[in-house]
Amino acid sequence: MALKKDSNSIDNEQDKSQNEDVSLVDLNNLENKTEIESQTLDVSKGNDNGFLDFGFNQSILNSLRNKGYKNPTPIQKAAIPELMLGRDLLGQAQTGTGKTAAFALPLIEKLADNKELNAKVLVMTPTRELATQVAESFKSYSSESSNFKTVAIYGGTDYRNQITALKRKVDVVVGTPGRIMDHIRQGTFKIKDINCLVLDEADEMLNMGFLEDIEWIVDQLPENKQMVLFSATMPSEIRNIAKKYLNNPAEILIKSVKKETQLISQKFIFVQRHHKLDALKRILEINNEGVIIFVRTKLLTTSIAEALENSGHTVAVLNGDIPQNQRENTVDRLKKGFIDILVATDVAARGLDVERIKLVVNYDFPFDKETYTHRIGRTGRAGRSGEAILFVNQREKHFLRNLENSTRTKIEEINIPSNKIINEKRMEKLIENVNESSLAKAENEENKALIIDVLDNLKEKHSMDDSNIAMAAINLVIGNKAFFVNEDDSWIHKQNNTDRNRSNRNGNNRMRNSNRRNNYQNDSFETYKFNFGKFDGVRVANIISSICNSTNINGRSIGKIQIFNDYSLVDLPRDLNNEVKNKLKKIKVRN
Ligand code: AMP
């Protein structure tokens, strides 16, 4: 249905004046939008009443209290009343703004007395990670509501459990397009009672080539339904979807990227490929608590993790090969501080929300602006500050300039820490540690007494004085290994002195991020031939979803796709390992 602006706009204008966080957007003219700043989430301030005005039932209010939410975020303030009225909604907001609760809470409220078997709400997400996360959010917001059921259905996992869950009473289904289609086709997901469809991270779904799948699914659903579309960006394709399917939507724009990334200090280092691991280890000397390192391939996640482990770090990997429950366990251990460093691929770390992440390392250059923004957004969570470091080699210099232009951010150059810097840092840490463990600060009374006994013993029986004892104790802390680094670091000085005149980074090869056919430099790709084509009824989206589901290749990193009658040519990243290549050999499209 075509988008109409009618008298509802007046209501919106009134809302807008009452609430500075809300802005009315003309779908046809989003470039001229008035953006509003998102506030940082703050659970510590305010009273418990922030959610009372929405008219939520007590069970929802109880679950919000359990979660420690006190005040709604700007997107929640703007979206919840509209959704409670049953309006369609178009929202431009990133993860981290509280958008999941913005649509989940009113939908849970609407389904409070639902006794029917079939699902009423369908939420579509681009990845299984986001599907799990959104489903978890629904579960926790409805944890106090009796008999409320949310089911997640996504690819890469067994159908059987999903089918069993779908047979029982279900209120909300959250899933990825491919698996949703499969269940609809097989008749295992009954959609006749769906009265609300949410498209979450719609731009990401488009990037992954899901447009036709989304359209197919929307066409299968009952015509009379509420539609909610959230997207971090508003390219013309999203505007077109909104115009086609949304009926006079409330339009909300939360300008959060800037605010969020403002808290993140963005840096880059210039480093040649063969020095990357050394550079990484040196960076981790300075900052090694709560770090995510982004790399392009699964193989690299493991080899880097191993290398870091050998250097004494506590590391885990997060990639598409790791089963879902293990991934959840890893994230949990990271949250609790049992792991300090995570080496991840983009797909596996999508939506990761861990407050203690202080540093994001872009070990491999991100494929596009959105990937970069997503990666660095893993730090600076919940209003904290964070740091992001991007590794740039000679070949990637011009990408850097384009990235700066498209994100409208200046990324500051820093040097790889030299021996001198690392040694100063080690010294500083040692002094800090000794000072921290000074007896005056020791809390354990039993230990205190023990230490005094040891001191007396050393003085009386071994005739040691205070300074001898102090030196021996520090010696013990340092251990036998050389305390200072003295490896040859002349390569660092050479890299740091390389001409990196920023104007040199202004090449013609712009990093394009919306058009798959023109994406990236050709030398990043290799062309693969697959023996299926038009005669098999194969479409671009089928190829992308099969590749993404069978390997850990990110939809965005797939280049040009050409479908011929009985074969297809697909450009894929050049650095794929053998394991991925073997999986590609076995790929099935549309069975
Ligand atoms: P989202 O943008 O939905 O991914 O949410 C980002 C983070 O904010 C999640 O960790 C949520 O649990 C948290 N969150 C959402 N709404 C609120 C709120 N009103 N108060 C505090 N935290 C919130």
Side-chain angles (χ1 to χ4, degrees):
M1 173 173 286
L3 181 80
K4 286 191 302 244
K5 289 248 172 276
D6 63 10
S7 55
N8 276 314
S9 303
I10 297 164
D11 296 336
N12 268 344
E13 282 299 348
Q14 281 165 358
D15 281 355
K16 186 182 161 197
S17 62
Q18 284 159 16
N19 183 352
E20 283 176 14
D21 297 317
V22 188
S23 98
L24 185 72
V25 184
D26 178 357
L27 272 180
N28 296 310
N29 192 14
L30 279 167
E31 282 68 34
N32 295 331
K33 64 201 167 195
T34 333
E35 292 183 335
I36 19 99
E37 299 261 322
S38 160
Q39 287 153 11
T40 317
L41 298 180
D42 187 351
V43 290
S44 60
K45 281 195 214 133
N47 52 39
D48 244 347
N49 295 339
F51 284 95
L52 285 183
D53 294 344
F54 297 126
F56 290 142
N57 63 58
Q58 197 54 45
S59 311
I60 295 184
L61 294 174
N62 291 348
S63 65
L64 290 174
R65 185 164 327 111
N66 294 346
K67 290 208 61 108
Y69 294 5
K70 292 186 174 161
N71 287 309
T73 66
I75 188 124
Q76 291 162 4
K77 274 190 208 155
I80 292 172
E82 301 290 356
L83 294 176
M84 295 279 272
L85 288 174
R87 277 191 80 179
D88 283 5
L89 187 134
L90 174 66
Q92 184 173 354
Q94 312 268 331
T95 41
T97 52
K99 71 174 162 60
T100 317
F103 62 80
L105 296 172
L107 297 177
I108 295 171
E109 170 64 40
K110 275 175 65 181
L111 292 172
D113 300 320
N114 181 32
K115 304 246 173 342
E116 287 170 45
L117 207 62
N118 293 334
K120 291 282 181 70
V121 171
L122 171 62
V123 183
M124 255 199 275
T125 69
T127 61
R128 58 181 168 185
E129 277 70 27
L130 189 61
T132 320
Q133 201 177 305
V134 170
E136 284 309 315
S137 297
F138 267 98
K139 284 178 192 167
S140 73
Y141 300 138
S142 63
S143 59
E144 301 288 318
S145 312
S146 64
N147 203 23
F148 191 98
K149 289 281 174 313
T150 305
V151 172
I153 54 175
Y154 43 77
T157 44
D158 202 276
Y159 280 87
R160 274 169 298 185
N161 291 344
Q162 296 176 1
I163 293 172
T164 313
L166 288 169
K167 270 188 190 153
R168 303 200 186 110
K169 189 233 180 197
V170 188
D171 294 278
V172 177
V173 170
V174 185
T176 46
R179 190 54 71 99
I180 292 173
M181 284 173 79
D182 288 350
H183 280 292
I184 295 178
R185 284 205 189 99
Q186 291 168 15
T188 40
F189 174 22
K190 307 266 184 313
I191 51 171
K192 69 177 179 45
D193 295 331
I194 296 286
N195 59 21
C196 177
L197 171 67
V198 181
L199 302 177
D200 196 10
E201 297 200 357
D203 50 352
E204 188 63 22
M205 286 200 266
L206 239 61
N207 278 330
M208 292 177 75
F210 286 135
L211 179 60
E212 284 174 57
D213 294 356
I214 295 172
E215 295 197 317
W216 185 88
I217 294 167
V218 178
D219 287 344
Q220 310 303 308
L221 298 175
E223 205 168 317
N224 202 0
K225 61 185 169 302
Q226 183 177 21
M227 277 210 43
V228 180
L229 188 157
F230 274 107
S231 191
T233 55
M234 277 294 159
S236 57
E237 295 96 324
I238 300 286
R239 272 179 265 163
N240 291 339
I241 294 183
K243 281 183 199 166
K244 191 165 165 191
Y245 294 113
L246 271 58
N247 181 13
N248 183 29
E251 297 151 29
I252 293 164
L253 173 65
I254 297 292
K255 185 177 131 194
S256 63
V257 189
K258 241 191 170 154
K259 187 82 181 177
E260 271 177 15
T261 51
Q262 262 170 12
L263 294 168
I264 304 167
S265 93
Q266 300 179 49
K267 317 256 170 73
F268 81 90
I269 57 164
F270 189 65
V271 59
Q272 285 168 344
R273 254 197 239 179
H274 56 282
H275 284 309
K276 277 166 91 169
L277 188 57
D278 277 345
L280 177 65
K281 286 185 187 164
R282 284 173 177 270
I283 283 168
L284 295 177
E285 283 275 351
I286 312 294
N287 191 349
N288 57 19
E289 279 170 29
V291 183
I292 298 194
I293 299 157
F294 280 100
V295 298
R296 263 187 216 159
T297 64
K298 281 190 273 195
L299 192 68
L300 256 184
T301 55
T302 44
S303 64
I304 289 180
E306 267 170 35
L308 297 180
E309 220 158 45
N310 291 341
S311 308
H313 296 287
T314 52
V315 196
V317 298
L318 207 62
N319 67 38
D321 271 354
I322 295 173
Q324 191 61 30
N325 55 355
Q326 203 176 318
R327 285 195 217 180
E328 283 157 21
N329 183 274
T330 300
V331 174
D332 198 46
R333 293 198 316 133
L334 180 69
K335 279 186 184 161
K336 291 182 176 144
F338 297 135
I339 298 167
D340 282 323
I341 300 172
L342 197 65
V343 191
T345 53
D346 289 302
V347 174
R350 194 141 251 297
L352 194 96
D353 184 14
V354 179
E355 283 182 20
R356 68 181 278 265
I357 298 299
K358 288 197 197 121
L359 171 68
V360 169
V361 178
N362 289 276
Y363 188 87
D364 287 326
F365 205 94
F367 267 111
D368 53 31
K369 174 186 95 177
E370 280 81 10
T371 309
Y372 176 74
T373 311
H374 174 265
R375 285 179 177 186
I376 67 168
R378 297 315 93 209
T379 182
R381 308 295 288 176
R384 299 184 182 201
S385 60
E387 192 180 2
I389 299 179
L390 175 66
F391 283 19
V392 181
N393 65 31
Q394 184 69 33
R395 216 165 49 83
E396 291 158 340
K397 273 180 166 181
H398 58 272
F399 287 144
L400 176 63
R401 166 55 73 98
N402 295 331
L403 188 62
E404 285 181 329
N405 286 344
S406 59
T407 54
R408 289 195 217 125
T409 317
K410 177 115 168 124
I411 305 177
E412 184 201 337
E413 177 161 15
I414 53 164
N415 290 336
I416 301 166
S418 62
N419 288 356
K420 184 169 173 283
I421 302 282
I422 291 175
N423 290 338
E424 279 169 10
K425 183 77 190 174
R426 285 189 178 185
M427 190 73 173
E428 202 180 287
K429 255 195 192 153
L430 176 66
I431 293 170
E432 203 180 287
N433 285 346
V434 174
N435 182 36
E436 277 293 303
S437 25
S438 94
L439 197 56
K441 293 181 189 167
E443 277 168 18
N444 186 324
E445 290 302 322
E446 226 171 272
N447 284 359
K448 249 186 197 176
L450 168 82
I451 294 167
I452 292 169
D453 273 357
V454 173
L455 283 177
D456 289 347
N457 189 306
L458 289 170
K459 282 181 189 169
E460 280 166 28
K461 293 201 179 146
H462 299 273
S463 317
M464 288 174 83
D465 62 16
D466 284 351
S467 73
N468 287 149
I469 297 172
M471 276 200 266
I474 294 172
N475 202 8
L476 208 62
V477 175
I478 296 173
N480 285 334
K481 281 206 304 202
F483 180 74
F484 289 122
V485 209
N486 56 7
E487 290 155 19
D488 177 19
D489 67 353
S490 54
W491 61 275
I492 296 175
H493 301 292
K494 270 189 221 138
Q495 310 235 1
N496 292 342
N497 291 332
T498 311
D499 172 21
R500 41 183 140 76
N501 179 348
R502 295 170 82 80
S503 64
N504 282 352
R505 293 196 259 116
N506 191 9
N508 287 328
N509 260 318
R510 304 222 156 238
M511 184 166 67
R512 298 173 178 94
N513 49 39
S514 59
N515 190 346
R516 178 177 304 287
R517 270 143 204 92
N518 293 321
N519 255 353
Y520 325 125
Q521 275 194 311
N522 287 337
D523 64 355
S524 316
F525 284 100
E526 245 165 0
T527 303
Y528 286 71
K529 184 175 175 184
F530 293 90
N531 63 355
F532 40 72
K534 276 186 201 153
F535 288 162
D536 304 296
V538 162
R539 292 180 291 121
V540 168
N542 303 134
I543 298 182
I544 297 171
S545 64
S546 295
I547 294 177
C548 293
N549 285 332
S550 322
T551 66
N552 73 331
I553 299 175
N554 178 337
R556 283 213 201 97
S557 44
I558 300 174
K560 191 168 157 185
I561 298 178
Q562 301 168 77
I563 304 180
F564 298 93
N565 287 345
D566 50 6
Y567 69 95
S568 305
L569 298 179
V570 183
D571 284 357
L572 294 173
R574 192 167 278 283
D575 54 0
L576 297 180
N577 59 45
N578 286 340
E579 194 189 334
V580 174
K581 285 181 182 166
N582 284 337
K583 284 186 179 163
L584 284 172
K585 276 185 199 155
K586 292 181 202 144
I587 245 173
K588 276 188 175 179
V589 175
R590 301 191 68 204
N591 292 319

